[in-house]
Amino acid sequence: MRFILLLAAAATLSAADKPFVPLFDGKTLNGWEVCNGKATYAVEKGVIVGTTAEGSPNSFLCTKREYGDFVLEFETKTDPLLNSGVQIRSHRYAEANPQKKQEKGRVYGYQVEIADEKSGASGGIYDEARRGWVHNIDKDPAASKAFKDNQWNRYKVEAIGDTMKVWINGVPCANLVDSMDLSGFIALQVHAYKGDKPAQVRWRNIRIQDLGRHIWKPLWDGKTMAGWTPRGGGRFSIEDGAIHARSMEGDERIGYLVSDQSWTDSTTRIRFKMIKGNSGYFVRSDKGNLAAYEVEIDEIKGTGGFWETGPNGRKWVTGPEDNGSAVGGEWNEMTASLHGHRIVFHVNGRKTLDLPDDTQGRLEGVIALQTHGSKKPTEVWFKDIAVLVKE
């Protein structure tokens, strides 16, 4: 334990020692390129000035390089009539998809909102050209009042692993847990605008502290049961690069495939395909009795919800009443982020649970894949099990 604490302290010191570097030299737009739209970007007295163009869609001034984990700081002043934002960990669609209204080359990804004072939305995070709002702070009494019209506002954006935080003028705003994108470019947005005359948004003192990046590390080799142990009933077999789990006729025991490794804070990801019945992805499970946080997987409802098993478990805690974005008979992606008492689950990019301070729960344990017994005939597939780690 002492060794682990020393490593954690060393990592913290290393991050703190990394210097901030300018993303904007105050004179030119070197290192940036315009993506989408017809808005203009110019440098005036050490400030980047973005000016709307009539009839133009959203425009973006994008960095030519990508960033993963970082702390980004900048100041902005915006015409109150104009909406704007700063993209982080963003990308461009490689191909058009008319069904999803995606244009080839269109910028998409996390956007740190810049709006007017009245809206109270500045400092939230919007998923541009994809999912829409992922953390709207307009109902937060302090955060919604942090941004001020007609003056320079100081932003700080911290993106580390699957957590993104935003401050405006020192006031905490968004605190988002989401692992859909772990790296990408940064971009300054000029929103589409219609008015009597052009509107402008300004940025200055843009700097970044580059902290490396996180990546997904496989927890299963896709070929053997190495690192995993079957327990109880059911049957677990490896077929076509996936784990096939099913109940056995006449055997009422619940079956589990349990990881040898245990975790405290972690973000893990798994892909599953539910054929029939009920299953679960167990996290922070007690290695002895498998009391656990169970991320529900069901044929009909509740997938992505939170069930706590064990002698003192709370049983069903909360979660979606329907099956949300989970699709039966097809591969779905589930993530479980557990850091301290903050518990967040996603299914196919949709947040199904967010407990900001679950002090009643456990803080460490193994992972387990579940299949019910013959009383609830179950068939489910699992693959691509991974944990988020610092590269």
Side-chain angles (χ1 to χ4, degrees), residues 33-81:
E33 59 184 346
V34 177
C35 305
N36 307 157
K38 299 177 182 178
T40 59
Y41 294 85
V43 178
E44 300 178 5
K45 298 180 180 179
V47 175
I48 296 176
V49 181
T51 304
T52 61
E54 186 174 353
S56 173
N58 293 355
S59 304
F60 303 89
L61 182 66
C62 307
T63 59
K64 292 182 178 180
R65 63 161 290 189
E66 295 190 348
Y67 298 89
D69 294 351
F70 58 81
V71 178
L72 173 68
E73 295 181 346
F74 61 88
E75 295 175 82
T76 185
K77 183 165 65 172
T78 309
D79 187 322
L81 296 176

Side-chain angles (χ1 to χ4, degrees), residues 282-295:
F282 283 42
V283 289
R284 286 187 175 172
S285 310
D286 185 284
K287 201 163 188 176
N289 63 10
L290 293 182
Y293 282 158
E294 177 186 355
V295 192

Side-chain angles (χ1 to χ4, degrees), residues 301-361:
K301 62 179 182 178
T303 296
F306 175 19
W307 182 284
E308 187 175 19
T309 67
N312 300 313
R314 289 167 284 176
K315 298 185 178 180
W316 183 254
V317 179
T318 187
E321 294 185 4
D322 59 8
N323 246 8
S325 60
V327 181
E330 296 185 14
W331 287 107
N332 300 270
E333 181 178 281
M334 173 179 284
T335 59
S337 179
L338 302 98
H339 294 267
H341 295 292
R342 176 91 184 263
I343 314 297
V344 182
F345 302 153
H346 285 83
V347 177
N348 295 332
R350 175 188 171 187
K351 184 164 64 176
T352 57
L353 176 122
D354 190 344
L355 298 179
D357 191 23
D358 185 48
T359 56
Q360 298 182 56

Side-chain angles (χ1 to χ4, degrees), residues 206-279:
I206 310 170
R207 65 177 195 159
I208 194 167
Q209 185 184 37
D210 189 345
L211 301 176
R213 65 173 185 162
H214 277 71
I215 59 172
W216 291 107
K217 177 183 176 182
L219 292 178
W220 176 55
D221 63 16
K223 300 176 182 178
T224 71
M225 291 292 185
W228 297 81
T229 303
R231 289 171 59 174
R235 180 181 177 186
F236 294 88
S237 58
I238 300 171
E239 303 171 28
D240 300 323
I243 297 169
H244 189 191
R246 53 201 183 276
S247 52
M248 301 301 293
E249 188 175 352
D251 187 349
E252 296 181 359
R253 295 176 301 160
I254 295 174
Y256 303 92
L257 185 63
V258 184
S259 68
D260 296 342
Q261 188 175 351
S262 179
W263 289 268
T264 50
D265 289 354
S266 67
T267 298
T268 56
R269 181 182 70 185
I270 190 169
R271 291 188 171 93
F272 68 91
K273 180 165 62 174
M274 170 56 74
I275 306 300
K276 63 179 180 179
N278 178 273
S279 176

